[in-house]
Amino acid sequence: MWSWHRQVKDSVSQKTIGLMRMQFWKTAIKEIYRDEPPNQPVSTELWREKDLDDRAYRNLQELETYSENTQSSLMYLLLECLGVKNVHADHAASHIGKAQGIVTCLRATPYHSSRRKVYLPMDICMLHGASQEDFIRGSQEQNIRDVVYDIASQAHVHLQHARSFSHNVPAAAAPAFLSTVVLEDYLHRVRRADFNVFHKSLQNRNPLLPIQLYIRSWKKTY
């Protein structure tokens, strides 16, 4: 009887802690938008996003570091809220967060380019002789596609690395990693568009995405 009561108490405690953490982040997000970020690493990184508005990432590593400090950190928080404490899940979260940051940068390229801003890693652009002006005018030349290919390939590599830990990641972590469905969908579609990041098909939503998310959630896999 004591054991059962203790289980209930622990369960309630975990849920309460989870709710408190979620409330903390809701408040933190509001404060970030008021330019008053809490003195907390993830909050500070999210608030710093506006500091990146006027320059591109110097290299892919800088984009990955930023993604780790923002996207991956939020996944660590989700894992904590789910009660998952597992080093393999943490490694998977690190790679998925980096993939998400990279894909987000690619997906936003047409929008940013229309506002004469380009944030793609400068080292890869220079490698292929692609200028910011090329992206601003929506060039579909091969060198622009090569830039997109290199960046998208890195996101794909991170997803593969994340899956290499799947056999050791508890099923309870699956909800935190559902974003892999969306990331896979974009990478598949940009590949079908021959890495033309400005292709109209990339601006349309995949109507099957909700079903794919449901199936992945049901299978408790990522």
Side-chain angles (χ1 to χ4, degrees), residues 35 91 123 154 175 219:
D35 259 357
H91 286 319
D123 62 337
Q154 189 64 13
K219 289 183 175 180

Side-chain angles (χ1 to χ4, degrees), residues 38-211:
N39 186 21
Q40 199 275 347
V42 178
S43 301
T44 303
E45 284 294 335
L46 289 170
W47 178 69
R48 281 185 62 243
E49 185 172 0
K50 70 177 190 302
D51 295 335
L52 298 174
D53 281 351
D54 295 320
R55 68 174 180 84
Y57 295 98
R58 288 174 295 182
N59 48 52
L60 191 53
Q61 290 70 34
E62 187 174 86
L63 172 54
E64 289 177 321
T65 298
Y66 178 75
S67 301
E68 168 72 27
N69 291 336
T70 52
Q71 307 289 350
S72 299
S73 291
L74 290 173
M75 287 195 177
Y76 299 145
L77 174 67
L78 281 174
L79 289 174
E80 197 172 338
C81 290
L82 291 167
V84 176
K85 294 182 179 180
N86 178 280
V87 65
H88 301 292
D90 287 344
H91 286 319
S94 175
H95 286 293
I96 293 170
K98 288 175 182 174
Q100 188 163 322
I102 292 170
V103 168
T104 299
C105 188
L106 280 176
R107 291 183 67 174
T109 296
Y111 172 82
H112 288 142
S113 296
S114 69
R115 285 154 178 76
R116 301 193 61 80
K117 292 182 179 181
V118 180
Y119 301 126
L120 298 174
M122 290 188 288
D123 62 337
I124 296 179
C125 291
M126 291 173 65
L127 177 66
H128 296 290
S131 67
Q132 289 197 349
E133 192 60 37
D134 289 332
F135 284 97
I136 289 170
R137 59 185 175 83
S139 173
Q140 299 178 23
E141 296 298 323
Q142 187 59 48
N143 64 328
I144 302 301
R145 296 169 188 251
D146 290 340
V147 170
V148 175
Y149 171 82
D150 283 359
I151 298 172
S153 295
Q154 189 64 13
H156 178 68
V157 166
H158 280 300
L159 285 181
Q160 286 185 315
H161 282 320
R163 291 215 169 88
S164 70
F165 300 103
S166 61
H167 294 299
N168 297 306
V169 172
F177 299 154
L178 282 176
S179 61
T180 56
V181 176
V182 180
L183 301 179
E184 278 180 337
D185 176 68
Y186 179 80
L187 291 174
H188 174 70
R189 290 194 293 140
V190 78
R191 184 169 64 248
R192 287 184 60 186
D194 196 21
F195 300 97
N196 174 11
V197 77
F198 298 102
H199 198 280
K200 290 182 179 180
S201 65
L202 298 177
Q203 308 306 316
N204 302 325
R205 292 184 178 182
N206 179 359
L208 298 178
L209 206 54
I211 297 174

